[in-house]
Amino acid sequence: MSITCPFPPGSKVSGYLRDSGGDEQDLSVPQQGGVIREFCAQNSLVLVNLFIDEARPGGSTGGRDQFDAMMNHFLSGAEEAGLIIWSLARFARNDMDSQLYKIQLRKAGYVIHSMSDNLPEGIYGRLIEYVIDFNNALFREILSKEVKRGLRHLVREFKGVPGPPPVGFKREEMIIGTKRNGEPPSAHKWVVDPAPSQRVKLPWHSPAEGAPSKAIPKAAPPY
């Protein structure tokens, strides 16, 4: 973690927090916020705003409402001296997006301080920062390929399907092998859920039996 502070005591700053919404990231945003608050207290900084995007991937800035709000806030002439982030990966995992938006902030006179990326001052710091941005983008690309490969294997070999099932189906757990530590790994497949499935079948069978379409919702059993 970077322990240097680029802001003079008494400076006003804002922070940007983000997590990707994974199963193990439910505490990520509170942890990031806690570290930034502690850093501000230790360095006599005034924390004005925390912009928070929860469960938002870093591969694109699209859909990150608080990121947009943060950029608009600064580019509209914010009084803060700069922005604090936990890491460059929290800002973005797309190297072009990361560079583009950081350039806009810096051109407007704001300092961007990453808590966990220890960057040297000057032009060499910018070079290392780009290498980190590139590595973050590469990690995202490799992870995406690995996830897709894993999903294809899950479907092909075990008929497993991730995510919530549609109406008429339910998730059923299944054991798909043995982990290296001896524990049985599990996944889920979709199987017919008898009660809701009748409601799903009704709109298909009723017209074939001559029932008018207006009568179908009344005849359909509740969920």
Side-chain angles (χ1 to χ4, degrees):
M1 180 188 300
S2 175
I3 58 175
T4 59
C5 179
F7 307 103
S11 298
K12 294 180 179 181
V13 296
S14 282
Y16 176 71
L17 320 177
R18 181 188 68 81
D19 70 51
S20 299
D23 293 338
E24 299 179 357
Q25 291 202 343
D26 53 337
L27 295 178
S28 178
V29 160
Q31 290 171 348
Q32 294 173 50
V35 172
I36 289 177
R37 289 188 183 94
E38 182 180 359
F39 178 81
C40 290
Q42 291 175 345
N43 292 279
S44 300
L45 304 178
V46 180
L47 185 60
V48 177
N49 292 298
L50 279 179
F51 298 92
I52 303 173
D53 277 317
E54 294 185 274
R56 292 292 183 269
S60 169
T61 56
R64 287 201 265 159
D65 295 339
Q66 284 294 290
F67 184 90
D68 292 338
M70 179 268 295
M71 291 298 301
N72 290 333
H73 174 73
F74 277 102
L75 298 182
S76 296
E79 61 181 351
E80 293 95 296
L83 177 72
I84 300 177
I85 52 179
W86 165 244
S87 73
L88 296 173
R90 298 304 89 203
F91 194 82
R93 283 193 181 276
N94 180 304
D95 56 325
M96 291 188 291
D97 278 356
S98 185
Q99 290 290 309
L100 172 64
Y101 290 108
K102 285 185 295 184
I103 287 173
Q104 291 183 45
L105 293 177
R106 285 167 174 156
K107 283 284 189 179
Y110 298 107
V111 174
I112 302 172
H113 179 63
S114 170
M115 296 285 296
S116 59
D117 300 297
N118 194 12
L119 302 172
E121 298 290 336
I123 191 170
Y124 291 107
R126 296 201 299 272
L127 173 62
I128 294 175
E129 182 179 276
Y130 178 74
V131 172
I132 293 174
D133 285 339
F134 172 82
N135 188 64
N136 287 333
L138 181 62
F139 172 83
R140 178 181 61 87
E141 185 173 316
I142 293 174
L143 181 62
S144 176
K145 291 179 179 179
E146 291 294 319
V147 169
K148 291 177 181 177
R149 178 188 59 80
L151 290 176
R152 283 196 299 269
H153 178 74
L154 178 65
V155 174
R156 183 183 298 116
E157 299 297 327
F158 304 102
K159 311 303 181 188
V161 184
V167 175
F169 293 84
K170 62 181 179 179
R171 281 159 55 94
E172 183 178 275
E173 188 175 19
M174 57 182 178
I175 304 302
I176 59 174
T178 304
K179 295 182 180 179
R180 291 180 181 178
N181 61 5
E183 296 179 358
S186 64
H188 291 85
K189 61 181 178 180
W190 293 353
V191 297
V192 174
D193 193 354
S197 67
Q198 297 306 311
R199 184 182 178 90
V200 175
K201 291 178 181 178
L202 186 63
W204 298 95
H205 291 296
S206 296
E209 296 170 355
S213 58
K214 293 183 178 180
I216 296 175
K218 295 180 180 180
Y223 289 116

